[in-house]
Amino acid sequence: MAAIWDWVSGTVSGLLSYLGLYSKEAKLLFLGLDNAGKTTLLQVLKTDKVQAFEPTFHAGKEELQIGSVVFTAHDLGGHETARKVWDHHFADVDAVVYLVDSADRERIPEAKKELDELLANPAMDTVPFLILGNKIDAQYALPDQELRALLGLVQTTGKDVTSGLDGVRPIELFMCSVVRKIGYDKGFVWLLNFI
């Protein structure tokens, strides 16, 4: 009986989503080192405008809709002090967007360390991770394969995977430029499959 109810429920919600009459709600965390582009991306997604921002010293929250999902998106800042309290926001999180400045080669080890700690945190075991290698428009930006290797992302989900596998946390790297508005859209399309 439960299987029939799940099928009916899934079919009805799928039809309503297709018609634009149903939306899910999800909690999304924007994480990464300072100056990676978290606040800029959040504002581009919300207003479609690119503008410069001061470093984020206090956590911010915005509501935005991507596809049929209404996100409560939390920009927690990336300076060292802010990173110490990221874990206070892990409860009920549905996805993480982790931004890396692909042109700041000196800080890639620091970005890897923070990413590794997030991925090792038991509270994040099943949480999908969209990793964005930002600033591909910058002169010294690392290419996809080099950034992937430096971040230790040797076995990711795959960009063409559209559903979760039992016991496997969805995680994938997409290269982007927030200021040029390219690349991150494909990442969010991928992420929506796991919400």
Side-chain angles (χ1 to χ4, degrees):
M1 186 67 157
I4 292 171
W5 174 250
D6 289 344
W7 179 82
V8 169
S9 176
T11 302
V12 170
S13 65
L15 179 61
L16 291 174
S17 290
Y18 177 77
L19 296 173
L21 302 173
Y22 173 80
S23 61
K24 296 179 186 178
E25 293 184 3
K27 179 179 175 182
L28 180 64
L29 299 182
F30 280 70
L31 303 175
L33 302 184
D34 50 299
N35 200 38
K38 299 175 298 299
T39 304
T40 303
L41 175 59
L42 183 57
Q43 290 307 309
V44 166
L45 292 171
K46 182 148 179 78
T47 67
D48 199 35
K49 295 179 184 171
V50 175
Q51 60 189 51
F53 290 94
E54 294 294 320
T56 303
F57 289 106
H58 303 287
K61 179 171 72 169
E62 295 282 352
E63 187 171 286
L64 54 103
Q65 182 159 355
I66 302 172
S68 64
V69 181
V70 176
F71 287 103
T72 302
H74 299 261
D75 176 3
L76 302 182
H79 54 86
E80 197 169 338
T81 304
R83 287 182 252 155
K84 291 178 181 176
V85 296
W86 281 354
D87 61 347
H88 296 171
H89 298 270
F90 291 172
D92 303 320
V93 66
D94 295 294
V96 169
V97 177
Y98 188 83
L99 278 87
V100 178
D101 181 343
S102 67
D104 192 349
R105 294 169 181 251
E106 290 182 14
R107 294 190 75 195
I108 297 296
E110 184 181 2
K112 179 187 184 323
K113 175 186 171 288
E114 294 297 336
L115 178 60
D116 288 346
E117 288 179 13
L118 289 168
L119 293 172
N121 189 309
M124 306 294 263
D125 276 348
T126 60
V127 175
F129 270 72
L130 167 58
I131 302 167
L132 296 175
N134 190 23
K135 304 186 184 179
I136 60 171
D137 54 308
Q139 183 177 2
Y140 298 106
L142 293 165
D144 181 300
Q145 292 304 318
E146 190 173 350
L147 182 59
R148 185 178 294 276
L150 291 171
L151 292 175
L153 299 173
V154 293
Q155 290 188 345
T156 57
T157 307
K159 294 179 181 175
D160 56 348
V161 173
T162 59
S163 64
L165 303 170
D166 286 340
V168 177
R169 174 194 5 230
I171 181 169
E172 191 55 65
L173 170 68
F174 288 81
M175 301 303 286
C176 72
S177 169
V178 173
V179 297
R180 295 240 174 117
K181 299 182 183 178
I182 56 172
Y184 57 82
D185 55 335
K186 294 174 184 167
F188 279 98
V189 168
W190 173 86
L191 184 63
L192 287 174
N193 291 303
F194 305 102
I195 303 294

